[in-house]
Amino acid sequence: MKNIRLGINIDHVATLRNARGGMHPDPIRAVKILEEVHADGITVHLREDRRHIKDEDVKNIIQETFLPVNLELAGNNEMINIACLLKPNAVCLVPENRAEVTTEGGLAVAGQEKKLKPLIQKLKKEKIRVSLFVDPKNEEIEAAANIGADIVELHTGRYSDTISNIKKKELSHLIKAAKIADNYGIEVHAGHGLNFSNVAKIASIKQIKELNIGHFLIGEAIFSGLGNVIQKMRSIIDDARK
Ligand code: PXP
């Protein structure tokens, strides 16, 4: 099976920095470690409330790295205009709600095609690849295909957060959704809530080309170092892929 790309979400390096309002820890230092350990990409979420990553961070990261940058943001004109100026390699549209602690569910693509299609076209005009963060549901994948998304990122949050029977069911939804997306010719990514214990089953879904993992790795990095935890995650996903 082909290797899977590992994108690292470094939002929470900025969360820690912002807790004191200074410069430490610097997300750019994390970027340099990601480069050293051969991560495949950097993901950052520019939230409307700028609670972690800020506009200046995205600009600096894009300037300082040779790695592809995947910029997550809400699907509205204001944020799309920012993305068009910053020019990351890819934009992942996510639903956003100011009261949430993290992205709680996938984007409702079905039913919002008229709103989303022009935003996607605007990004593609700037040669930015467009990903939609969706729940593993047939109708969402179909809608994403209809409005020209290049990528769907399957939300693994429900799979990650549940136990036993529900977990099995969620895994079967993810497997099915990955197949459907692949049949439509859309690249399949996945992420949210993944850690050393739950990642293998997701990494072994052969249609998935990229995983985006953040909170767990940044948390573990406190104990073992960022480079070490990325290398451990890489070895788990590569083993699962064999
Ligand atoms: N993918 C998307 C679209 C996300 O919004 C997030 C969380 O910001 C992640 C992946 C990473 O999730 P986690 O931080 O739980 O690994």
Side-chain angles (χ1 to χ4, degrees):
M1 225 193 299
K2 266 197 153 179
N3 265 358
I4 192 161
R5 292 196 301 269
L6 176 58
I8 310 295
N9 181 319
I10 58 168
D11 289 347
H12 296 301
V13 177
T15 304
L16 212 54
R17 175 197 61 191
N18 297 351
R20 285 289 173 96
M23 305 284 285
H24 182 79
D26 184 355
I28 293 292
R29 217 167 134 196
V31 165
K32 293 298 147 193
I33 294 173
L34 266 50
E35 290 174 353
E36 279 166 26
V37 298
H38 309 293
D40 298 296
I42 297 164
T43 291
V44 283
H45 185 171
L46 187 67
R47 280 186 166 270
E48 289 184 293
D49 63 10
R50 309 298 198 269
R51 69 174 72 156
H52 36 58
I53 289 290
K54 301 185 188 298
D55 304 55
E56 201 60 18
D57 290 320
V58 184
K59 200 171 143 204
N60 292 340
I61 291 167
I62 291 173
Q63 242 169 36
E64 291 281 330
T65 190
F66 55 81
L67 290 173
V69 174
N70 172 39
L71 177 61
E72 297 173 358
L73 34 81
N76 60 49
N77 276 314
E78 189 196 337
M79 298 311 289
I80 298 299
N81 288 340
I82 293 175
C84 288
L85 287 174
L86 292 170
K87 293 199 179 7
N89 298 76
V91 158
C92 179
L93 298 183
V94 299
E96 216 175 280
N97 153 13
R98 288 199 181 207
E100 70 191 358
V101 175
T102 182
T103 316
E104 283 165 359
L107 190 67
V109 184
Q112 284 204 91
E113 291 92 336
K114 275 205 181 113
K115 179 189 161 198
L116 293 171
K117 194 173 176 181
L119 302 179
I120 293 176
Q121 284 169 339
K122 202 165 174 181
L123 290 165
K124 284 180 135 187
K125 236 186 190 168
E126 298 295 329
K127 308 221 173 334
I128 299 170
R129 300 184 80 208
V130 183
S131 172
L132 302 179
F133 189 44
V134 296
D135 288 324
K137 291 180 181 162
N138 193 356
E139 64 270 24
E140 300 297 357
I141 313 283
E142 201 176 314
N146 286 338
I147 58 174
D150 301 297
I151 303 160
V152 285
E153 180 164 332
L154 301 177
H155 195 315
T156 52
R158 269 175 72 87
Y159 168 77
S160 304
D161 294 343
T162 52
I163 45 164
S164 63
N165 286 345
I166 307 169
K167 205 172 194 72
K168 252 190 179 162
K169 208 167 164 197
E170 275 305 308
L171 183 63
S172 74
H173 292 325
L174 288 160
I175 293 171
K176 199 169 145 215
K179 277 187 195 153
I180 293 169
D182 192 55
N183 284 339
Y184 275 114
I186 305 181
E187 189 169 311
V188 190
H189 298 178
H192 210 282
L194 297 176
N195 59 37
F196 291 152
S197 319
N198 63 20
V199 76
K201 287 238 161 46
I202 302 298
S204 63
I205 301 173
K206 73 168 193 274
Q207 292 85 0
I208 295 180
K209 302 278 189 306
E210 178 175 312
L211 296 177
N212 284 308
I213 309 180
H215 183 264
F216 172 78
L217 292 178
I218 303 301
E220 274 300 290
I222 292 170
F223 306 110
S224 314
L226 186 56
N228 291 331
V229 296
I230 293 172
Q231 281 168 327
K232 181 166 174 188
M233 184 59 85
R234 161 76 72 197
S235 109
I236 295 171
I237 65 176
D238 286 349
D239 281 351
R241 207 70 176 170
K242 276 176 195 158

